[in-house]
Amino acid sequence: MPSLLPPLGYLTYVDTFMIINYVVLLFILFENVYVMRLVDANSNELAFRIDKICLFSVPLIWFII
């Protein structure tokens, strides 16, 4: 079935918004994996510090972008 929407040669606002969300989610995934590896290696202080920094910086960066 052919698409009813015409193909566009540029990104719309929604496309840009979704790309930003996917990038932020990917960053959160990497941060979680890194913190879990630190906890498994018994580096709890560093893991807690990184988690605390990301708790405030990720929403701030997402809002700025």
Side-chain angles (χ1 to χ4, degrees):
M1 174 168 200
S3 175
L4 299 176
L5 297 174
L8 296 176
Y10 56 90
L11 290 176
T12 63
Y13 175 75
V14 175
D15 294 332
T16 308
F17 182 74
M18 290 305 297
I19 290 171
I20 289 170
N21 283 330
Y22 287 141
V23 168
V24 170
L25 286 173
L26 187 64
F27 176 75
I28 291 170
L29 176 68
F30 284 136
E31 185 264 334
N32 282 328
V33 169
Y34 185 64
V35 167
M36 291 301 286
R37 288 185 61 154
L38 286 174
V39 168
D40 289 342
N42 292 327
S43 299
N44 293 336
E45 288 290 324
L46 181 59
F48 181 74
R49 199 170 340 138
I50 290 173
D51 193 44
K52 189 65 101 170
I53 290 169
C54 288
L55 179 68
F56 294 108
S57 65
V58 170
L60 181 65
I61 291 170
W62 181 84
F63 184 73
I64 290 171
I65 292 175

